[in-house]
């Protein structure tokens, strides 16, 4: 047990450039404990693209203030040496690590799980809060905790959006206001598809609406079964659409639960 911190504690891992999405995770953490640790660490291992890593927004002083105002009792920005001493073992995200988001970002989920496991070792939280915004990440972290039988409860937090529906993201600061307008096509497509009856209608609707925005380049738009993270088939109890693509050189991801028709 790390005696420098008061336990039990709730933990919110982030890469900084904090926005209202992160703040909502911190306020959810406060429901579990008055000891809330927020980490800020831009993890090079989960960036498959060096330009994305170099241009990732960094605003540590402002982050410190925002996190404290949102209810953090400690804002912790560890060094590379603290996180990655020579002997750190790498975690593999397995087959799911190469699908959906992983198919477009080779090694991303291995790097993400490696840092999350390391952060858990150092912080020893009783609760850790992750956003649904990174839905595949949330699923893989839950799997890691189950597999290693870590004594940590993973809490999921709903996606925080701007008034027109765009999911907040640290990378959004790289978008102009015209780009942001274009990026709204993602949540519009998700929202419209989510209301429809039937998987094929939902899929068709997603693709149809996403194709209307010339500034948007699609990586994938798929509907998965939430329990298995496999492509949804008829009869799935809970499904979710995942969308990923590019606007003005910025990679954007989003997802939304879809209406499910009970069969039989
Ligand atoms: P990041 O700093 O982007 O690595 O994100 C840190 C945590 O905040 C992750 O658990 C994300 O899923 C979560 N997060 C990021 N954006 C949002 C959002 N718009 N709504 C809710 N959670 C978010």
């Amino acid at each position: 047990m790390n005696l420098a911190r008061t336990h039990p504690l709730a933990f919110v891992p982030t890469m900084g450039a904090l926005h209202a999405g992160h703040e909502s995770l911190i306020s959810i953490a406060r429901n579990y404990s008055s000891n809330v640790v927020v980490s800020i660490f831009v993890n090079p291992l989960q960036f498959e693209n060096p330009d994305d890593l170099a241009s990732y927004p960094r605003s540590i002083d402002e982050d410190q203030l925002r996190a404290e105002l949102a209810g953090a009792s400690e804002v912790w920005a560890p060094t590379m040496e603290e996180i990655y001493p020579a002997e750190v073992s790498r975690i593999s995200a397995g087959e799911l690590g190469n699908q959906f988001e992983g198919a477009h970002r080779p090694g991303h989920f291995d790097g993400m799980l490696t840092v999350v496991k390391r952060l858990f070792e150092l912080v020893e939280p009783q609760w850790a809060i992750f956003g649904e915004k990174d839905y595949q990440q949330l699923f893989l972290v839950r799997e890691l905790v189950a597999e290693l039988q870590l004594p940590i409860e993973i809490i999921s937090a709903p996606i925080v959006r701007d008034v027109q529906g765009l999911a907040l993201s640290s990378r959004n600061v790289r978008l102009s206001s015209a780009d942001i307008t274009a990026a709204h096509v993602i949540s519009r497509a998700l929202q419209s598809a989510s209301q429809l009856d039937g998987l094929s209608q939902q899929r068709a609707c997603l693709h149809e609406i996403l194709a209307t925005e010339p500034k948007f380049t699609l990586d994938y738009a798929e509907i998965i079964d939430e329990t298995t993270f496999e492509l949804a088939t008829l009869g799935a109890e809970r499904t979710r659409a995942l969308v990923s693509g590019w606007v003005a050189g910025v990679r954007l991801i989003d997802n939304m639960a879809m209406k499910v028709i009970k069969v039989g």
Side-chain angles (χ1 to χ4, degrees):
M1 171 103 15
N2 181 344
L3 295 176
R5 295 194 170 104
T6 311
H7 293 263
L9 62 82
F11 179 42
V12 180
T14 82
M15 297 204 298
L18 301 187
H19 51 67
H22 299 110
E23 286 167 351
S24 81
L25 268 56
I26 297 169
S27 76
I28 290 170
R30 285 293 296 223
N31 297 333
Y32 291 85
S33 177
S34 53
N35 304 310
V36 172
V37 175
V38 175
S39 66
I40 296 179
F41 181 69
V42 182
N43 174 33
L45 245 53
Q46 70 189 72
F47 284 81
E48 72 295 346
N49 174 345
D51 293 340
D52 189 30
L53 175 60
S55 63
Y56 199 82
R58 289 165 172 85
S59 52
I60 186 75
D61 294 339
E62 204 185 313
D63 288 349
Q64 171 96 29
L65 200 66
R66 258 183 185 264
E68 282 171 3
L69 284 173
S73 39
E74 181 189 343
V75 180
W76 177 54
T79 61
M80 273 295 281
E81 291 70 29
E82 271 177 283
I83 299 295
Y84 295 125
E87 75 280 11
V88 164
S89 57
R90 299 236 178 171
I91 309 280
S92 163
E95 215 177 296
L96 180 56
N98 298 321
Q99 293 166 9
F100 304 105
E101 199 55 12
H104 296 270
R105 303 190 64 185
H108 167 69
F109 286 121
D110 297 347
M112 180 281 290
L113 288 180
T114 299
V115 82
V116 166
K117 160 116 187 315
R118 183 73 188 127
L119 290 166
F120 284 172
E121 274 167 17
L122 292 168
V123 177
E124 296 179 290
Q126 177 151 347
W127 306 273
I129 296 76
F130 287 83
E132 288 182 354
K133 161 87 172 13
D134 301 279
Y135 204 75
Q136 194 172 355
Q137 163 173 291
L138 172 64
F139 188 92
L140 287 165
V141 169
R142 284 195 198 282
E143 273 196 342
L144 178 81
V145 166
E147 197 175 312
L148 303 180
Q149 299 188 326
L150 302 177
I152 302 172
E153 189 182 343
I154 302 300
I155 315 290
S156 66
I159 300 175
V160 176
R161 303 174 177 281
D162 73 9
V163 279
Q164 279 148 303
L166 177 65
L168 299 189
S169 162
S170 301
R171 290 184 179 86
N172 292 358
V173 299
R174 305 195 330 228
L175 297 172
S176 70
S177 59
D179 298 336
I180 287 177
T181 304
H184 282 127
V185 75
I186 303 172
S187 52
R188 221 167 42 241
L190 285 166
Q191 185 61 41
S192 301
S194 72
Q195 318 285 331
L196 298 178
D197 296 336
L199 267 175
S200 51
Q201 291 88 334
Q202 291 167 352
R203 276 198 202 101
C205 171
L206 274 178
H207 286 276
E208 199 176 297
I209 295 181
L210 291 169
T212 61
E213 175 49 65
K215 288 180 97 172
F216 178 72
T217 308
L218 182 68
D219 266 355
Y220 63 90
E222 304 279 15
I223 300 179
I224 53 129
D225 182 330
E226 284 189 10
T227 34
T228 59
F229 224 101
E230 285 167 8
L231 287 176
T233 50
L234 282 177
E237 299 236 321
R238 293 201 333 264
T239 63
R240 186 168 286 257
L242 312 175
V243 173
S244 174
W246 299 79
V247 171
V250 177
R251 194 145 193 290
L252 300 169
I253 60 171
D254 199 351
N255 65 82
M256 199 174 283
M258 296 286 111
K259 180 174 167 185
V260 173
I261 308 289
K262 295 267 176 289
V263 286

